[in-house]
Amino acid sequence: MKRIHALLLILFLSLLPGCSALLPDPLTAEQHLAQAETFKAKKDYAAAANSLAKAIRKRPADGSLYLQQSELLEVAERPKPARKTYRKGLKTIPAGDPSRPELSYRLLQLLTLKLSAPAEAEPLLPVLPAGSVKHIDAKGCLAYSRGRHQEALRLFDQAREQATDQDLSARILYHTALTYHQLGDDDSAMLALFHAINKAQSLGVSKNIEYFFNDLKGLNP
């Protein structure tokens, strides 16, 4: 009888606003990640990001989860929550976590290309190995956000020449397209996007290219 009363109490509390968050989460991080993949397949990126948030609560020291959730938030066009997740990841994960440089690189791009916050982004640059492709690209993003578009193009060209990873090449080409657009050269912007889409592999890069292409074509609402 006591067990029945306890179950009824749990059911009652779960129906109250805000109380369901207080109940233990019975799912593992892996189960939440599986749910996220299901939502991604349905293109419900906000729901997928929510599943990643639950996975993070199970494995808060796993830097890869912050990268995944931030990417989904960006794809869902929620840049400010994405910034918060990147920051939370950098604050939470161990100093030697291999995800730290990538979190810094992605956050710097978000701050410069989508949130127009180069001053906030600049301290992230030294985290990237000097002279690396991502370091050069990040410098280009900072130049872009400060209106130095010709300098940005030179840096993006330099980074792209050294890039061997296809998805990274696509990311840099997307940055190049943004810069050409700012210079009023939409033909070159479209050409860069054409090359980028043929190289893109990750969801985040592919969606950035798609959204910007639609902007140039006037197809976005």
Side-chain angles (χ1 to χ4, degrees):
M1 183 64 70
K2 289 182 178 179
R3 184 183 177 194
I4 293 174
H5 287 165
L7 290 172
L8 288 173
L9 178 60
I10 291 172
L11 177 61
F12 173 72
L13 289 173
S14 69
L15 295 175
L16 294 177
C19 286
S20 59
L22 302 177
L23 297 175
D25 180 356
L27 301 184
T28 65
E30 288 71 23
Q31 287 171 318
H32 285 304
L33 289 170
Q35 287 185 342
E37 289 302 317
T38 300
F39 286 126
K40 281 171 64 177
K42 296 177 180 178
K43 299 186 179 181
D44 189 345
Y45 303 119
N50 186 54
S51 291
L52 258 298
K54 294 175 182 177
I56 286 171
R57 286 198 285 271
K58 297 286 184 174
R59 296 206 316 241
D62 187 340
S64 68
L65 299 184
Y66 296 95
L67 281 170
Q68 292 178 62
Q69 191 198 15
S70 299
E71 180 181 58
L72 287 165
L73 288 168
E74 288 199 58
V75 170
E77 298 186 275
R78 299 178 62 194
K80 290 183 179 179
R83 173 171 60 184
K84 184 177 179 179
T85 299
Y86 284 127
R87 287 290 185 198
K88 181 181 177 183
L90 289 170
K91 182 179 179 180
T92 305
I93 64 175
D97 191 294
S99 298
R100 184 171 293 277
E102 189 67 17
L103 281 166
S104 300
Y105 175 56
R106 301 272 190 91
L107 176 57
L108 185 146
Q109 290 173 74
L110 177 69
L111 292 169
T112 52
L113 305 180
K114 297 183 180 180
L115 293 175
S116 302
E120 185 181 343
E122 182 124 31
L124 298 164
L125 188 61
V127 178
L128 305 174
S132 67
V133 172
K134 291 179 181 179
H135 186 268
I136 297 167
D137 179 55
K139 288 171 64 177
C141 291
L142 284 164
Y144 169 91
S145 68
R146 288 176 168 143
R148 302 199 301 264
H149 298 122
Q150 293 294 346
E151 177 187 346
L153 281 179
R154 287 194 297 272
L155 288 164
F156 293 146
D157 285 346
Q158 182 183 348
R160 192 173 68 254
E161 287 172 2
Q162 297 183 26
T164 56
D165 178 83
Q166 292 292 296
D167 198 60
L168 180 55
S169 294
R171 188 182 294 273
I172 298 166
L173 282 163
Y174 162 66
H175 301 164
T176 302
L178 290 173
T179 309
Y180 275 125
H181 176 62
Q182 290 298 316
L183 290 168
D185 186 352
D186 282 352
D187 288 340
S188 294
M190 291 295 291
L191 182 61
L193 287 179
F194 173 78
H195 289 300
I197 198 61
N198 288 325
K199 295 175 179 288
Q201 297 172 357
S202 67
L203 175 66
V205 173
S206 297
K207 284 298 179 182
N208 277 334
I209 294 168
E210 177 186 331
Y211 293 156
F212 187 47
F213 175 84
N214 288 341
D215 274 343
L216 292 178
K217 289 295 187 180
L219 300 175
N220 284 330

